[in-house]
Amino acid sequence: MGKNILIVGASGDIGTAIARQLLEAGHQLLLHYHTNKQIINELCKEHGEAILAIYQADLSNEQDCKRFLKMLEISIDGIVFASGKAYYGLFQETSETTMDEMIQLYVKSPWLITKQLLPKMISKQTGTILFITSIWGEQGASNEVVYSAVKGAQNSFVKALAKEVAPSGISVNAISPGFIDTKMNGHLCEKERAAIFKEIPQNRAGTPDDIAYMARFLFSDESSYIQGAIIDITGGW
């Protein structure tokens, strides 16, 4: 029997690809989304009984996050944090409101969700926690300073929590994507995309499935000795 896995951000391109791979592997899913319910409805039509619950919440809002936490009543064996949004702009022009929203979305909400679900995982001596971070969390990017900072915070959280909960049989890891062909990069023109591809040794964008295949592996028994890793999937970028 598969695991009960909560996917935070299941309606995004990467979240949806991960959901499909985990469903194919025989797991049952709890799906969180913010605004794009159409994708969630499609997953439900395709996989009916394997979808245990659907939750809508804006996790960049502290009160909505707390409302979401109250809804999590089903036993959960694993979590994927795949939600997010980009923010582009000069750091000195970034508003405090935007900073607060990005910190809540990428840092505090995942902390609170993990904090609530961790005790039951510890009591069962098993669990899997997976973050989808970003190459910018390691390398940093101009005009994406806040995004880079919160992704770096996720990487540090993964490395530290992994050491703390490893004795309890819980794995904590992250996948760090490079340039992936998703709606988040849809603002780039063809000239800008071509310039990025020149910097990538494989000369192409990655796909959501490139991330999803690794996520599926990290929820398998074969990955049991991988702990506290930030796994780059960047095409060599």
Side-chain angles (χ1 to χ4, degrees):
M1 184 175 178
K3 302 171 183 175
N4 294 348
I5 301 171
L6 169 64
I7 301 183
V8 178
S11 63
D13 293 325
I14 290 176
T16 301
I18 291 173
R20 295 187 190 283
Q21 284 296 318
L22 294 180
L23 287 164
E24 188 176 304
H27 300 297
Q28 298 78 234
L29 303 184
L30 301 87
L31 305 177
H32 157 268
Y33 74 101
H34 178 201
T35 58
N36 191 2
K37 192 176 182 182
Q38 181 180 347
I39 296 295
I40 302 300
N41 289 339
E42 290 175 7
L43 288 170
C44 290
K45 286 180 182 178
E46 295 169 7
H47 300 279
E49 294 181 357
I51 308 299
L52 302 180
I54 298 170
Y55 308 107
Q56 186 282 327
D58 177 5
L59 297 181
S60 67
N61 179 284
E62 184 176 3
Q63 294 307 312
D64 222 25
C65 178
K66 291 179 179 178
R67 179 181 64 83
F68 173 64
L69 292 173
K70 292 179 181 178
M71 294 188 287
L72 296 178
E73 297 178 346
I74 298 173
S75 177
I76 293 173
D77 306 307
I79 320 166
V80 179
F81 290 104
S83 66
K85 60 182 179 181
Y87 175 77
Y88 302 94
L90 294 173
F91 177 70
Q92 63 265 33
E93 296 176 357
T94 306
S95 70
E96 186 175 351
T97 298
T98 295
M99 292 180 188
D100 288 342
E101 289 177 350
M102 295 289 277
I103 290 169
Q104 181 71 46
L105 177 61
Y106 286 109
V107 181
K108 190 171 181 181
S109 287
W111 283 3
L112 292 173
I113 294 166
T114 302
K115 186 173 184 288
Q116 176 160 316
L117 300 180
L118 199 54
K120 287 187 178 179
M121 292 185 185
I122 291 173
S123 68
K124 292 187 292 185
Q125 293 288 288
T126 184
T128 302
I129 300 170
L130 175 63
F131 278 76
I132 308 303
T133 63
S134 169
I135 186 175
W136 300 139
E138 300 173 77
Q139 304 297 332
S142 63
N143 295 303
E144 293 185 69
V145 173
V146 175
Y147 180 78
S148 298
V150 294
K151 285 298 181 178
Q154 288 186 340
N155 285 343
S156 295
F157 180 73
V158 164
K159 293 175 184 178
L161 185 64
K163 294 178 180 180
E164 187 169 309
V165 301
S168 298
I170 299 164
S171 68
V172 187
N173 294 292
I175 297 172
S176 179
F179 186 87
I180 306 298
D181 197 7
T182 67
K183 291 187 287 292
M184 186 177 285
N185 292 314
H187 66 287
L188 297 172
C189 67
E190 284 304 313
K191 185 176 180 180
E192 290 169 324
R193 289 169 62 90
I196 292 173
F197 293 166
K198 287 183 179 179
E199 298 178 2
I200 301 172
Q202 289 196 353
N203 298 308
R204 68 171 178 88
T207 69
D209 279 337
D210 289 326
I211 309 304
Y213 295 141
M214 178 57 68
R216 177 173 175 166
F217 174 68
L218 290 172
F219 275 91
S220 71
D221 293 338
E222 287 81 1
S223 68
S224 63
Y225 203 58
I226 299 175
Q227 182 75 337
I230 311 296
I231 301 172
D232 291 342
I233 300 183
T234 66
W237 193 21

